Amino acid sequence: MIKNFNNTAIISGEKNISYSELNRRIATYAVHTPKEKDAKTIILCENREGWVYAFFSIWLNHGIAVPVDASATVSEVAYILNDCHPEFIWTSREKEQTVKEAIAEANLDIPYLLIDEYESLALPTATSSDGSSPDQDFMSQRKDDVALIIYTSGTTGSPKGVMLSYGNLKANMYGVCEEVRIFDGKRRTMMLLPVHHIFPLMGTLIVPILTGGGIIICPSMTGPDIMDCLCRGKVAIFVGVPRLWQTLYAGIKKKIDSKAITRMLFSLCRKAGSRTLSRFVFQSVRKKMGGHIYCCVSGGAALDKEIGEGLRTLGLDVLVGYGMTETAPMISFTRPGDIIPGCAGLPLPSVKCKIVNGELLAKGPNVMAGYYNRPEETAAVIDKDGFVHTGDLARFDEKGRVYITGRSKEIIVLSNGKNVQPNEIEYKLEKFSDRVKEAAVVQDGDMLRAIIVPKESWAANRSGQELETLLKKEVLEPYNLSVSNYKKLMSVFVYQGTLPRTKLDKLQRYKLHAIIESKGKDDVEDTENEDNKTAEDLGAEYRVISQYIEQEKKIRVRPEDHIETDLAFDSLDKVGLQSFIESTFGMDVTPEMLISLGSVKSIADHISQQRTKLEVGDNDWKTILSTEKKSLELPSTSLLYTFNAKVCKGFFMLYNRLKVKGKENIPPKGPFIVAPNHQSFLDGPLSVTGMNCSTIHDCYFYATEEHVKGSLLKYLAQHNNIILMERKNLRNSILKLSEVLRQGKNIVIFPEGSRTHNGNLSTFKKTFAILSKEIDVPIIPVCIKGAFEANPRGKNTYKPHAISVEYLPPIYPSPEDTYESLTAKVKDAISDCLHS
């Protein structure tokens, strides 16, 4: 396979397997693998070194490899067995029972062997026969032979076997090894993703092994294992899916945001857009990843533009590949030195692309040989001119780069790259024929939802709530237990009508979301009282947690729902919930603790006993502010307070050429809330520069206790309209602010909470919106420009940069407004002014 047999081919645990040993182990496996040309052999096994030996032993014997998902259920494996009738199966001891049951269900007689038993067999001494594996040019010699059958849901119908020839694979390999030199004999790749998918199979096994760079097999998807492999294996090429890069970026960014200096450096590198500068400034990031990373590769689904830009700012080149199983897998990819976040890059040099009616079509030596035993479905995807119809909407830029803008086909693609065929699931749901008349599956964010029309005779005399509960228990739960995690349904919508179909009985899927939306509106009145009562009975902690989950997962939450089995929380979801609990309730939890607690109610009960705080926005403020009072003695106002404000204004006019606009929008008397954007330390005095003396006299600021320490500062606060707030008790803080407004005074609140890091608006907290709506006072948005440039955060400088302050028209709360809508109105008003 590789002539330099002493090079390391595989690192697995503590073992370093040379190419010499790799070839001899392949030959050992080949003794048991069918020797007939084109014999089909299934590999059903978790990632391990034996997977590699079994795979290449099939090719050594001129057979066809059929990789199968190690997490596939018995019925899914049985389907593949019946579809392709393999001659042999390589599996592992862990998956042996699945294989046995699938063979029985398929009613076939297929021999199998366990990969485990051959991984560590003693080998004979190396001889000249070590070169008996395929030589480097075997792909060209066999270019028309089928090398792989990869099962995918495709664009329509049941899972289909995609036949990929050696020529298809060679086209991809040549593109990333010769035409664009990404893989070579000196760059090791980490095998992390399951290799039954064509993307990791090519990118983390076939290409790095055949080019001589070799691989290190990561034992799990956990952070410690990944970092250990990156460092120990001196990994140069790191292949992952978007969710992995999202997790990596979030972890690094959290540490960066914890310190002012690193925040400033990140902002500087983002603005500079220099790869050299980013790699120098954030060289520690690369060192922690082993120090040998040449590039990261993302595929399987679209990479969020923000994540791509963020990783590039950290000095990490993330190459994005776009394609499909039918193109083995790439159609286009971004090149080193030409990385544009949100762009799928240029097509492979050997591939021709065009757009017809908005859909991207591709033609080249990478296009599959066809679907196994499905000529009609092959013809539906590959036209007479040899172009494969991707089902994706796209556009080209002036240099021919590909940008994917949407999907035209019905297949659902989740953010982890998993493909889901909805009619496959619908068929299984309709097998519960005593309860289900018809069913439809829709995607909602990263979740799958079922719309079920219940059978009339079964649904008679049952309420909508009862039907939903029974369908979840008697249909969804049995279905979910029979499928892989990514195919699980997270909620059911009961629809007592007829699903929209064409005259040929095909579902009009574009109308399905309207059914859910209309159902949600109809159900609000029926369930609102019951849901509110339940949430009230279970306490504030349950209400906060359930609202968070519903917002994040876009599903309805019940107290007894388990975060794994009912709500399908994956590892990233658990990390998100962990972070939310820590920031909202001031307590430490771990993903393992969340799993052990299980249900949403159990988690809420645990929080109620351990929490140290409850953040703003998670209380019934209407009730609190109307029933609770907080005695408050306002600070006295020094005669120097208004004088100092006017002195500051004069200084700003001279030093910063201050311009004040919109003074007519300031009400002649209060109460009202002033809501400025927060650019610098100067913003306090700047926010009152347009007010007359009496209005300034009635304007109050607030500061947290930790920022006003010592007797002198506390004295100054008491005589300069500053009210001290309790960070650990935001409820009391809001009650204090409400009393200021009730006494007819005005308050200045910076919605962002802290100064901007880059001059742009940060997230707006909704404290000011709560007060405005519940006390019924207007909000005066204030747009401050230039203060960031004059006094940027993290620098002890004050430049004579021009500053302007503009008071925008008051925003009055209406009965229809929510806290969120009021917050958005103010932010939009300031944003429009800031960018005008």
Side-chain angles (χ1 to χ4, degrees), residues 5-223:
F5 297 120
N6 293 323
N7 286 357
T8 298
I10 302 171
I11 301 175
S12 178
E14 298 302 317
K15 293 191 290 185
N16 281 27
I17 296 104
S18 68
Y19 273 95
S20 174
E21 181 178 346
L22 169 64
N23 288 338
R24 284 183 285 149
R25 292 205 176 277
I26 290 171
T28 300
Y29 276 66
V31 170
H32 306 282
T33 300
K35 298 175 178 56
E36 298 79 12
K37 186 177 185 298
D38 295 334
K40 296 178 290 297
T41 298
I42 278 180
I43 306 177
L44 195 156
C45 174
E46 62 280 2
N47 284 9
R48 59 192 302 162
E49 59 183 280
W51 207 108
V52 183
Y53 306 148
F55 178 79
F56 283 113
S57 76
I58 299 167
W59 279 8
L60 181 60
N61 289 352
H62 292 252
I64 299 172
V66 186
V68 175
D69 188 350
S71 66
T73 63
V74 170
S75 60
E76 290 169 338
V77 176
Y79 171 87
I80 293 173
L81 296 181
N82 270 318
D83 190 67
C84 73
H85 288 268
E87 281 76 16
F88 187 72
I89 299 173
W90 279 110
T91 189
S92 62
R93 185 170 287 104
E94 183 180 335
K95 303 299 174 184
E96 182 179 12
Q97 190 59 36
T98 298
V99 169
K100 282 183 177 180
E101 293 178 17
I103 290 172
E105 185 174 315
N107 196 26
L108 295 172
D109 183 16
I110 305 173
Y112 70 86
L113 283 177
L114 301 182
I115 284 175
D116 322 39
E117 297 180 355
Y118 293 85
E119 277 181 339
S120 302
L121 283 180
L123 293 174
T125 305
T127 67
S128 59
S129 63
D130 290 349
S132 61
S133 58
D135 63 36
Q136 286 182 290
D137 200 36
F138 73 97
M139 283 190 170
S140 298
Q141 296 167 7
R142 307 179 191 175
K143 66 184 180 69
D144 296 324
D145 292 348
V146 175
L148 297 168
I149 297 179
I150 304 282
Y151 274 84
T152 175
S153 293
T155 56
T156 58
S158 303
K160 297 176 289 294
V162 177
M163 296 187 294
L164 298 175
S165 70
Y166 288 98
N168 298 151
L169 305 181
K170 178 72 173 180
N172 271 266
M173 187 170 170
Y174 190 76
V176 295
C177 297
E178 302 294 337
E179 293 166 324
V180 180
R181 198 168 184 79
I182 297 171
F183 293 85
D184 64 23
K186 297 181 180 179
R187 293 173 183 158
R188 182 172 289 117
T189 303
M190 180 164 61
M191 181 197 285
L192 175 67
L193 305 175
V195 286
H196 67 276
H197 289 298
I198 185 60
F199 167 55
L201 177 58
M202 280 292 286
T204 69
L205 196 162
I206 295 174
V207 176
I209 288 291
L210 294 185
T211 54
I215 63 174
I216 180 169
I217 301 175
C218 190
S220 78
M221 294 279 284
T222 63

Side-chain angles (χ1 to χ4, degrees), residues 95-389:
K95 303 299 174 184
E96 182 179 12
Q97 190 59 36
T98 298
V99 169
K100 282 183 177 180
E101 293 178 17
I103 290 172
E105 185 174 315
N107 196 26
L108 295 172
D109 183 16
I110 305 173
Y112 70 86
L113 283 177
L114 301 182
I115 284 175
D116 322 39
E117 297 180 355
Y118 293 85
E119 277 181 339
S120 302
L121 283 180
L123 293 174
T125 305
T127 67
S128 59
S129 63
D130 290 349
S132 61
S133 58
D135 63 36
Q136 286 182 290
D137 200 36
F138 73 97
M139 283 190 170
S140 298
Q141 296 167 7
R142 307 179 191 175
K143 66 184 180 69
D144 296 324
D145 292 348
V146 175
L148 297 168
I149 297 179
I150 304 282
Y151 274 84
T152 175
S153 293
T155 56
T156 58
S158 303
K160 297 176 289 294
V162 177
M163 296 187 294
L164 298 175
S165 70
Y166 288 98
N168 298 151
L169 305 181
K170 178 72 173 180
N172 271 266
M173 187 170 170
Y174 190 76
V176 295
C177 297
E178 302 294 337
E179 293 166 324
V180 180
R181 198 168 184 79
I182 297 171
F183 293 85
D184 64 23
K186 297 181 180 179
R187 293 173 183 158
R188 182 172 289 117
T189 303
M190 180 164 61
M191 181 197 285
L192 175 67
L193 305 175
V195 286
H196 67 276
H197 289 298
I198 185 60
F199 167 55
L201 177 58
M202 280 292 286
T204 69
L205 196 162
I206 295 174
V207 176
I209 288 291
L210 294 185
T211 54
I215 63 174
I216 180 169
I217 301 175
C218 190
S220 78
M221 294 279 284
T222 63
D225 279 342
I226 291 173
M227 297 308 292
D228 174 65
C229 285
L230 287 173
C231 297
R232 190 161 48 88
K234 299 180 180 179
V235 171
I237 301 174
F238 185 5
V239 179
V241 292
R243 299 284 303 261
L244 177 65
W245 305 123
Q246 179 184 341
T247 303
L248 175 68
Y249 176 65
I252 297 173
K253 191 64 164 60
K254 185 177 180 180
K255 291 182 179 179
I256 287 174
D257 289 343
S258 66
K259 295 181 181 179
I261 182 65
T262 48
R263 287 197 302 268
M264 180 196 71
L265 289 171
F266 185 84
S267 177
L268 174 66
C269 289
R270 183 185 285 274
K271 289 179 180 178
S274 166
R275 179 176 182 269
T276 303
L277 177 64
S278 290
R279 288 202 162 194
F280 174 75
V281 171
F282 293 106
Q283 56 185 295
S284 62
V285 173
R286 294 168 52 79
K287 285 181 180 178
K288 287 178 181 178
M289 296 172 68
H292 293 81
I293 293 291
Y294 169 69
C295 70
C296 301
V297 179
S298 181
L303 179 66
D304 186 84
K305 185 177 180 181
E306 180 184 348
I307 304 299
E309 289 178 344
L311 290 171
R312 185 174 62 173
T313 302
L314 294 171
L316 295 173
D317 292 336
V318 183
L319 306 183
V320 175
Y322 162 73
M324 54 200 298
T325 305
E326 288 85 345
T327 56
M330 282 198 305
I331 291 174
S332 67
F333 66 99
T334 52
R335 273 59 164 174
D338 187 32
I339 300 173
I340 303 174
C343 173
L346 290 165
L348 279 167
S350 59
V351 173
K352 179 181 180 182
C353 290
K354 65 179 180 179
I355 294 175
V356 178
N357 297 324
E359 182 188 9
L360 180 67
L361 278 61
K363 178 181 180 179
N366 61 329
V367 176
M368 67 173 179
Y371 295 122
Y372 183 71
N373 279 343
R374 297 181 185 235
E376 292 182 359
E377 294 187 38
T378 301
V381 174
I382 303 176
D383 63 26
K384 58 182 177 61
D385 295 321
F387 281 91
V388 63
H389 289 244

Side-chain angles (χ1 to χ4, degrees), residues 622 769-770 772-774 776-779 810-826:
K622 183 177 181 65
I770 293 170
S772 172
K773 182 168 176 62
E774 304 308 341
D776 193 26
V777 296
I779 304 166
I811 294 176
Y812 292 85
S814 69
E816 295 77 26
D817 272 320
T818 63
Y819 305 147
E820 289 76 14
S821 66
L822 262 178
T823 303
K825 286 180 182 178
V826 174

Side-chain angles (χ1 to χ4, degrees), residues 536 543 617-625 731 774 819:
E536 190 66 32
R543 182 170 64 251
D618 301 318
N619 295 282
D620 181 0
W621 293 107
K622 183 177 181 65
T623 301
I624 292 171
L625 294 178
R731 180 190 184 103
E774 304 308 341
Y819 305 147

